[in-house]
Amino acid sequence: QVQVVESGGGLVQAGGSLRLSCTASGFAFDDYSMGWFRQRPGKEREGVSCITMSGGNTYYSNSVKDRFTISRDNAKNTLYLQMNNLKLEDTAMYYCAATPCSGAFPNPGAAYSIFGYWGQGTQVTVSS
């Protein structure tokens, strides 16, 4: 069955960095574009970044552009999110999912997982 396991979150001071990982199984990872999403306290889940199947195209929300970098290793079925210059407002639970990826990302409306599946997420907390 489809499964993703997110890891790498933690507590970091503002201005610091973290690298998130997402290991996928149960589907042909390199056949799907992938994305990172986050849910901040009291807010709906939102798209952060996505990457196409081969990794050739990446897209970011305006709030993280120039600070976060998404990448993938198809040989390892793993998705990454390098987060630099973290801000207090980046505090959230972070999730990965197979998701459509184009210049329209993040799409308005609810965050979308192609398989309708969400992992347990990894918590990122940024302190002042």
Side-chain angles (χ1 to χ4, degrees):
Q1 68 278 20
V2 171
Q3 187 174 16
V4 295
V5 179
E6 301 94 342
S7 62
L11 175 64
V12 63
Q13 285 192 320
S17 298
L18 282 174
R19 188 194 195 203
L20 307 184
S21 298
C22 163
T23 302
S25 61
F27 64 100
F29 182 76
D30 51 2
D31 281 349
Y32 290 88
S33 53
M34 296 291 295
W36 283 101
F37 300 82
R38 68 185 181 188
Q39 189 162 16
R40 293 183 277 186
K43 304 277 189 174
E44 291 191 352
R45 192 173 291 164
E46 62 181 355
V48 173
S49 180
C50 72
I51 186 167
T52 51
M53 289 181 287
S54 65
N57 290 294
T58 58
Y59 302 95
Y60 299 90
S61 68
N62 288 335
S63 61
V64 307
K65 197 175 297 182
D66 299 326
R67 297 189 298 122
F68 291 10
T69 302
I70 191 171
S71 62
R72 65 190 295 164
D73 185 337
N74 286 344
K76 295 182 178 179
N77 285 5
T78 302
L79 179 73
Y80 302 100
L81 186 69
Q82 177 67 43
M83 306 187 295
N84 297 329
N85 190 21
L86 282 159
K87 302 179 179 181
L88 296 178
E89 54 264 39
D90 294 319
T91 293
M93 188 71 80
Y94 283 74
Y95 303 87
C96 68
T99 193
C101 184
S102 70
F105 187 93
N107 300 305
Y112 179 67
S113 167
I114 286 175
F115 298 109
Y117 170 86
W118 297 96
Q120 84 287 351
T122 186
Q123 177 69 39
V124 172
T125 303
V126 184
S127 65
S128 59

